[in-house]
Amino acid sequence: MDIILAWMQGSWKWTQWKLLAKEFWYKVFETWSELRKLRDSWTELWNKLKEIMDSWQLVDTSLIMEIVWEFLKNIWENEKVLFDWLPRNLEQYIQFQNVMEKFSRKWKLVYVSLSKTEAIKRLSWRFECVWVDTTNNPLITKEECIKKWWSIKVRDDDVEDSIKKRIEI
């Protein structure tokens, strides 16, 4: 059975879900990662996505569902999927449900709660330690990363205005 994650950004649920996905052999569909892959693919779709994502706008639901469809079409029928960052609103929920029904996929929803204040605080200092497999070491600190001379990467959209906008949506 597939799992749908509903969450307030910054809840750190992804750290835990990476471990679960690995332990229980879930394929992962993270909308933001799928969008970045397409944006970086230099296709015609890339032009639309780059403009939308660089302006911190939401990608149209029909486009998101097209991406979900392609993802599901390219996995085995019996593979379990962990969906992250989807569905984000009622329109996406309805269309997502239709796509899942067409693929005869059953799913459960897990909701992670967090206050807006705490989410903004956490996302403001989020980072990636580039040379570390965070699946096996999800709780590495910036200090540990720097101490080992590894690179730190911060998402372009982890600035306060963008964070607040994402949380409101």
Side-chain angles (χ1 to χ4, degrees), residues 55-121:
S55 64
W56 302 335
Q57 301 298 312
L58 281 181
V59 176
D60 180 74
T61 296
S62 61
L63 184 56
I64 296 290
M65 291 310 123
E66 186 178 328
I67 295 165
V68 171
W69 185 278
E70 286 300 313
F71 179 87
L72 292 174
K73 188 173 81 173
N74 290 304
I75 65 170
W76 295 103
E77 186 179 313
N78 63 341
E79 283 186 282
K80 301 176 292 187
V81 179
L82 194 151
F83 289 92
D84 183 26
W85 206 71
L86 181 75
R88 303 279 295 183
N89 56 41
L90 184 58
E91 178 189 9
Q92 277 189 4
Y93 173 79
I94 292 166
Q95 289 189 34
F96 179 78
Q97 196 169 16
N98 291 336
V99 170
M100 295 296 275
E101 285 174 9
K102 287 185 175 141
F103 281 92
S104 301
R105 300 195 67 92
K106 305 259 186 251
W107 53 274
K108 293 277 185 188
L109 176 80
V110 176
Y111 178 74
V112 180
S113 179
L114 181 70
S115 75
K116 289 179 183 180
T117 304
E118 185 64 21
I120 291 168
K121 176 179 150 189

